[in-house]
Amino acid sequence: MRTRLFAWLVTVAGLAASVAANVGHVAGHDLASRATAAVPPLAAAASLTVALGLLKRTVGAHQPAAEAAPENVVEDVPVEVPTTVPATTAETVADNVLEEAPIPAPASTGQAVAPRTDPPCPGSVPGQ
């Protein structure tokens, strides 16, 4: 009960702050302008209340079916765990780059590609 009360208090306080901020930012001082500014947060709160109520009813309707235990459950199935972990593609590429080894070409060509030997950028070497 205390949790529900706190949730409603927070919701009402947030709604009041939102309405006050919207009404406070209105340039006109007439009642129609202020009432119009209060509509969006009230409409949002009302639609949220309806949507959450619908969600609560929908989940409540499906909950008994979800709690029923399935009949064909197999327990204690042995699982094989691999003893070695294969290297990822990123680790393989990083190793090739660090060792400056040729990077293998795609399997379709079957040829290795030589590492790049581009000259450094002109601004990176002093005196150029």
Side-chain angles (χ1 to χ4, degrees):
M1 180 66 179
R2 182 177 281 179
T3 305
R4 278 188 157 188
L5 179 64
F6 181 70
W8 276 108
L9 287 175
V10 169
T11 303
V12 170
L15 178 61
S18 181
V19 169
N22 273 17
V23 171
H25 282 92
V26 173
H29 293 290
D30 59 313
L31 182 62
S33 296
R34 290 176 181 242
T36 303
V39 169
L42 293 173
S47 62
L48 184 63
T49 302
V50 169
L52 290 177
L54 179 64
L55 180 65
K56 182 179 178 181
R57 282 194 306 263
T58 303
V59 169
H62 291 297
Q63 194 169 7
E67 289 178 356
E71 296 176 9
N72 297 330
V73 175
V74 178
E75 294 183 16
D76 299 328
V77 176
V79 177
E80 292 184 27
V81 178
T83 57
T84 60
V85 178
T88 64
T89 304
E91 290 172 345
T92 305
V93 170
D95 289 342
N96 286 339
V97 171
L98 292 176
E99 296 173 4
E100 295 185 12
I103 299 173
S108 61
T109 63
Q111 298 177 355
V113 178
R116 293 182 65 169
T117 57
D118 294 341
C121 295
S124 65
V125 178
Q128 283 188 353

